[in-house]
Amino acid sequence: MTKPKLDITLCAPRGFCAGVDRAIQIVELALEKYGAPVYVRHAIVHNKYVVDGLRQKGAVFVEELDEIPPGDAPVVFSAHGVPKAVPADAKARNMFFLDATCPLVSKVHIEANRHFNEGREIVLIGHAGHVEVIGTMGQLPAGAITLIETTEDAEAYTPRDPGKLAFVTQTTLSVDDTSAIVDVLRRRFPAIALPHKEDICYATTNRQEAVKKVAPQVDAIVVVGAPESSNSVRLVEVARRAGCERAVLVERADAIDWSQFEGIRTLGITAGASAPETLVDEVIEAFAQRFDISVSAHGAGRETIVFNLPRELRVA
């Protein structure tokens, strides 16, 4: 049988961001320099393929420090950031730790501390339970930060002093959703202090913009990424709002539900910031088994931002 034709448009940029790339490098270089095991608190990034690959090299993933036996094995904190209590606990246990927190998440932590020290009440726009939100809220004493998830939350929020208020945001949110919440806060509290520079990271913004441009032109969109990955889930939502109802999140090629792609002639493919290009190639190959494909790229290409490694690993 002749395979049906399918035009695939690859969104650019897509996949790994500088923070994810740095976090993975930190684990790999720690394994190279110190040997296995290297303990990692929480999944280093939200991608099972990446985590499994590091586990095969000797990384041991734990959720809490008390799961780590006494010894001198390094401990790595994930890219999402941790509450202040975690490094304090590690020091109390005489652990050698490496912080793989994305510098853009660290920027939000610094900003929250600055606002707190200047006497402001802080609003954090984000998703309850996400590890980045837990890490950011854990930078300050309980009650110093109020989490707001929706415009309804923003309308209902009552600060102690509207004149001493600031907001920060999770770095992996929908740009449009966040903008709507910020609009409510600024309307209700004109004196609210804004971030010096937008907290939503460049990679999240760039990937969402690329999807917005491709979505109206294709019959379906595949977002390669994990369901735990906030920025990947947001890409699906952005694609649907931009006009592509058949936008689906796919973790690996073997998880594709082919019934969702019956009759399509055009397909967009992107990847969340924690999904490696290998998985994008795997998905393209899976479509090539069933369709006569042609592939083109759309967008600005690769990003050039690079973050420094921790001092302890720069000589490795």
Side-chain angles (χ1 to χ4, degrees):
M1 285 180 62
T2 305
K3 292 190 281 191
K5 290 190 178 298
L6 179 66
D7 293 329
I8 294 178
T9 302
L10 293 177
C11 298
R14 63 182 175 277
F16 277 1
C17 63
V20 164
D21 197 43
R22 173 181 180 269
I24 293 167
Q25 276 191 71
I26 287 171
V27 179
E28 290 177 336
L29 288 171
L31 284 163
E32 189 180 306
K33 184 172 182 179
Y34 305 109
V38 167
Y39 291 92
V40 184
R41 186 187 179 278
H42 192 68
I44 188 70
V45 297
H46 283 153
N47 189 277
K48 185 176 184 297
Y49 177 87
V50 171
V51 168
D52 287 348
L54 293 172
R55 188 178 281 121
Q56 287 170 11
K57 294 177 181 179
V60 178
F61 291 87
V62 300
E63 286 303 312
E64 299 299 341
L65 297 183
D66 58 16
E67 298 171 49
I68 301 171
D72 56 3
V75 182
V76 179
F77 300 150
S78 82
H80 312 96
V82 294
K84 270 186 179 173
V86 174
D89 186 20
K91 286 176 185 173
R93 294 170 185 264
N94 292 316
M95 290 176 164
F96 168 55
F97 61 87
L98 297 161
D99 190 357
T101 300
C102 172
L104 298 180
V105 174
S106 296
K107 178 185 84 71
V108 177
H109 293 180
I110 292 165
E111 211 155 49
N113 273 284
R114 178 176 61 80
H115 288 309
F116 180 74
N117 291 334
E118 291 173 357
R120 295 188 181 95
E121 189 177 351
I122 300 156
V123 166
L124 169 61
I125 302 170
H127 295 296
H130 191 277
V131 283
E132 183 186 327
V133 166
I134 293 168
T136 299
M137 295 189 77
Q139 298 304 302
L140 296 173
I145 300 179
T146 301
L147 181 65
I148 285 185
E149 297 187 80
T150 63
T151 52
E152 290 78 13
D153 291 345
E155 292 284 8
Y157 172 63
T158 304
R160 292 187 294 270
D161 179 356
K164 296 290 282 182
L165 190 60
F167 78 84
V168 294
T169 81
Q170 186 180 332
T171 63
T172 54
L173 299 176
S174 158
V175 173
D176 294 336
D177 286 349
T178 306
S179 179
I181 293 170
V182 170
D183 287 347
V184 172
L185 292 172
R186 294 185 72 177
R187 170 174 55 78
R188 295 190 63 218
F189 313 112
I192 193 167
L194 316 179
H196 284 318
K197 190 178 177 185
E198 190 174 29
D199 289 337
I200 295 177
C201 85
Y202 76 94
T204 298
T205 303
N206 290 351
R207 280 150 191 71
Q208 289 180 17
E209 287 303 314
V211 164
K212 283 179 187 177
K213 289 171 183 169
V214 170
Q217 304 171 16
V218 295
D219 299 326
I221 280 186
V222 167
V223 177
V224 181
E228 302 84 13
S229 165
S230 174
N231 73 85
S232 299
V233 174
R234 301 290 84 74
L235 285 172
V236 175
E237 295 170 356
V238 167
R240 289 174 181 165
R241 287 181 190 169
C244 184
E245 285 298 320
R246 269 198 275 188
V248 296
L249 185 66
V250 170
E251 198 158 5
R252 296 287 300 268
D254 59 10
I256 295 173
D257 176 1
W258 292 104
S259 66
Q260 295 177 302
F261 300 99
E262 289 177 4
I264 65 168
R265 295 184 180 180
T266 53
L267 175 72
I269 296 179
T270 189
S274 50
E277 190 68 7
T278 302
L279 298 187
V280 175
D281 294 340
E282 184 183 279
V283 167
I284 294 170
E285 178 56 32
F287 275 93
Q289 298 294 319
R290 292 163 176 80
F291 295 87
D292 177 12
I293 68 169
S294 63
V295 181
S296 60
H298 184 289
R302 298 189 68 82
E303 292 143 338
T304 56
I305 291 174
V306 177
F307 294 132
N308 287 334
L309 292 165
R311 190 177 297 105
E312 299 90 339
L313 296 176
R314 287 178 202 166
V315 295

